[in-house]
Amino acid sequence: FENPTPFSNLFEIFLILVIPFALTRTFGRMAGSIRQGYAILATMATIWLGFTALMMWTEFHHGGPAFDLAGGAMEGKETRFGIGGSSIFAVATTLTSTGAVNSFHSSYTGFGGGIEMLGMQLGEIAPGGVGSGLYGMLVMAIIAVFIAGLMVGRTPEYLGKKIGTREIKLAACYILVTPALVLGFTAVSMALSTPKDSMLNSGAHGFSEILYAYTSGANNNGSAFGGLSADTNWFNTTIGLAMLLGRFLPMVFVLALAGSLAEQTPVPKTAGTLRTEKPLFTGLLVGTIMIITGLTYFPALALGPLAEGLAS
């Protein structure tokens, strides 16, 4: 009864997104340049719109007689929302830490399930959770200016603060800790004999059930792929550890990074300073995010949702 109509569905999506998107303006005001906040907002919006378009495409146009008769992939979706409302909600909830669902994520097409997982694996930064999405995106911005600095042979700077060895080590720890939890626990679960008994499906989809469980837990999402019987000692313990470490360890690295930057004296802008409020930087940041995440998770995604999507 909480979401009875298509309008209420769109309004809930708006409520999910409004605070993390709005915090980019708050960041711009705190940084002394609203345009800095708009650059981060443009990055978040570009990723969100891209994921939404891909989800719509795969759910509306996936082949097969049943899909053709229903006008798309309607399995696991409410008829009052349809494919469009369900797809937008799925992208919104997996690109944030909301965890709410209005359709069964396990029933999406293979590619659709992969889009849901990839949204969380980005670190939920487009726009992400309330506060956590913003600081995750800012860490990625630091990585992006570091890469840009390497390309031009200049010491990287962000908002007048130099990005040195200590800062990049802390940023690297931030982006590595969650993938280590997700991929490590998934690998061990697949290697042991007992956890695999909890999978409802075999093959690529069964692997996706376990990968999704740890991706959701470590990234503080809370949604789940239906089919995995996670109420066992193994999954209760390991997903709990993924939730605990995946939430608090990144916070430790972010706070240490913020303290390191706060200790520095701002350096003045020069002709060689990378303008981080320009569209060029937005494009660089989007590319950095997708490349880093792709290199980290692509092998696992290839074994699960990509293999399922290509086989169907």
Side-chain angles (χ1 to χ4, degrees):
F1 296 109
E2 70 165 10
N3 191 6
T5 67
F7 173 78
S8 67
N9 186 59
L10 291 176
F11 187 62
E12 285 195 10
I13 294 170
F14 169 77
L15 294 177
I16 289 171
L17 300 174
V18 63
I19 294 179
F21 269 130
L23 281 176
T24 57
R25 180 175 172 83
T26 304
F27 163 71
R29 293 176 65 90
M30 294 176 66
S33 172
I34 296 296
R35 295 183 67 184
Q36 295 284 352
Y38 288 160
I40 299 298
L41 173 63
T43 304
M44 292 178 173
T46 299
I47 295 174
W48 188 85
L49 289 172
F51 272 55
T52 302
L54 285 173
M55 182 66 85
M56 290 282 198
W57 172 78
T58 187
E59 295 303 301
F60 271 111
H61 300 293
H62 199 78
F67 293 110
D68 293 338
L69 288 173
M74 274 299 296
E75 180 189 349
K77 299 179 177 67
E78 297 282 355
T79 55
R80 67 181 185 274
F81 302 140
I83 294 173
S86 301
S87 298
I88 298 172
F89 197 101
V91 171
T93 194
T94 50
L95 278 171
T96 64
S97 59
T98 307
V101 297
N102 72 349
S103 55
F104 286 99
H105 288 187
S106 182
S107 295
Y108 278 65
T109 62
F111 292 139
I115 292 169
E116 293 165 344
M117 278 187 268
L118 184 59
M120 293 182 285
Q121 291 164 353
L122 291 180
E124 295 178 339
I125 54 177
V130 177
S132 60
L134 179 61
Y135 70 61
M137 182 62 79
L138 294 179
V139 172
M140 297 305 299
I142 288 173
I143 297 292
V145 297
F146 175 73
I147 293 173
L150 291 178
M151 290 191 290
V152 299
R154 178 181 170 86
T155 302
E157 302 170 7
Y158 188 58
L159 300 178
K161 303 297 181 75
K162 290 187 178 295
I163 309 302
T165 303
R166 182 184 181 190
E167 289 77 23
I168 204 64
K169 285 180 178 178
L170 291 170
C173 288
Y174 174 88
I175 65 174
L176 288 174
V177 61
T178 305
L181 292 168
V182 173
L183 299 176
F185 281 132
T186 300
V188 174
S189 296
M190 294 303 296
L192 298 176
S193 58
T194 305
K196 287 184 286 188
D197 295 336
S198 297
M199 299 187 322
L200 178 64
N201 297 276
S202 59
H205 195 82
F207 176 79
S208 294
E209 291 174 1
I210 292 180
L211 179 62
Y212 192 106
Y214 288 113
T215 298
S216 178
N219 286 280
N220 187 39
N221 185 266
S223 63
F225 243 32
L228 181 68
S229 300
D231 190 15
T232 65
N233 289 334
W234 170 259
F235 283 114
N236 283 330
T237 301
T238 54
I239 295 177
L241 288 173
M243 292 169 63
L244 179 68
L245 298 176
R247 167 173 276 270
F248 290 108
L249 279 182
M251 289 183 180
V252 171
F253 294 127
V254 168
L255 290 173
L257 178 58
S260 178
L261 293 173
E263 293 174 352
Q264 296 184 26
T265 302
V267 296
K269 290 183 180 179
T270 66
T273 300
L274 175 65
R275 302 294 296 273
T276 54
E277 76 280 10
K278 297 289 187 178
L280 177 63
F281 179 72
T282 297
L284 174 65
L285 184 51
V286 171
T288 300
I289 292 166
M290 300 308 299
I291 290 172
I292 288 176
T293 306
L295 291 175
T296 304
Y297 286 105
F298 180 78
L301 292 172
L303 292 173
L306 291 179
E308 180 184 357
L310 292 172
S312 58

